[in-house]
Amino acid sequence: MTGAFEVLVDDDRTQLEAFIEDYRIAIEATLDGVTEEQARRQLVPSATTLLGLLKHVTWMQRVWFEECIGGGTRVALGLVRNPAESFVVVDDDTIDGVIAAHRQACETARAVVADVPLDAVVTGHRSGPRTVHWVYLQVLRELAHHCGHADILREQILAA
């Protein structure tokens, strides 16, 4: 097709990976220009903070890619046991450190799935077998969900 519109034909994997990358960048960007104190600020009754959200999505991606697809255990991977624990921000956590951990988790995730077909069935997650395609959709869903939370918290922090 020519003219003002072009049709881009990408396979499912390319599209899924592009959306996941967009959300990875977007959630990190919610920490741009905020202070360490602002990144830790708790504005809702739960433990949800900007820094905690990035810690959680880092953990979540490690669970789905390194545990579910890669076959590692949470203990061997040094991961906390459950989602609630993954939001906890400790004194040693910094924006730079949490971003670095997130980027490392993303790099590892890319490597883990690089040669695994979307229709491959993986069995490393405690809830049972899943296809890699399903894992991509789950990660995309969680990233989008938490990016929304982070956008709202950032808006509240910057308006204060």
Side-chain angles (χ1 to χ4, degrees):
M1 178 176 198
T2 59
F5 299 98
E6 290 185 38
V7 177
L8 300 177
V9 180
D10 292 323
D11 61 13
D12 283 346
R13 183 182 205 111
T14 301
Q15 292 173 0
L16 289 167
E17 288 175 351
F19 282 122
I20 287 171
E21 290 301 324
D22 284 349
Y23 281 115
R24 285 172 170 162
I25 292 165
I27 198 150
E28 281 187 19
T30 63
L31 291 166
D32 288 350
V34 300
T35 66
E36 294 289 338
E37 183 276 325
Q38 289 171 321
R40 295 167 174 275
R41 191 173 296 162
Q42 194 173 332
L43 300 171
V44 293
S46 71
T48 305
T49 65
L50 284 177
L51 202 57
L53 281 166
L54 188 57
K55 281 189 74 171
H56 170 71
V57 299
T58 299
W59 174 87
M60 174 273 299
Q61 291 181 82
R62 293 194 65 201
V63 165
W64 288 113
F65 291 114
E66 296 177 46
E67 179 185 29
C68 183
I69 296 173
T73 66
R74 290 184 192 185
V75 171
L77 294 168
L79 297 172
V80 296
R81 294 171 301 195
N82 59 59
E85 292 177 48
S86 71
F87 283 92
V88 175
V89 176
V90 297
D91 290 343
D92 292 344
D93 287 328
T94 64
I95 293 170
D96 289 343
V98 174
I99 287 174
H102 180 249
R103 290 179 181 170
Q104 180 59 56
C106 294
E107 184 178 319
T108 301
R110 288 183 209 100
V112 166
V113 296
D115 297 322
V116 184
L118 283 181
D119 61 354
V121 175
V122 293
T123 58
H125 195 265
R126 56 183 71 178
S127 62
R130 302 280 190 254
T131 64
V132 171
H133 187 264
W134 187 94
V135 171
Y136 270 55
L137 290 172
Q138 174 65 15
V139 168
L140 179 60
R141 182 183 73 83
E142 286 223 29
L143 283 167
H145 181 78
H146 293 305
C147 275
H149 292 148
D151 284 341
I152 291 167
L153 289 178
R154 178 180 170 84
E155 185 177 325
Q156 290 177 318
I157 287 166
L158 295 178

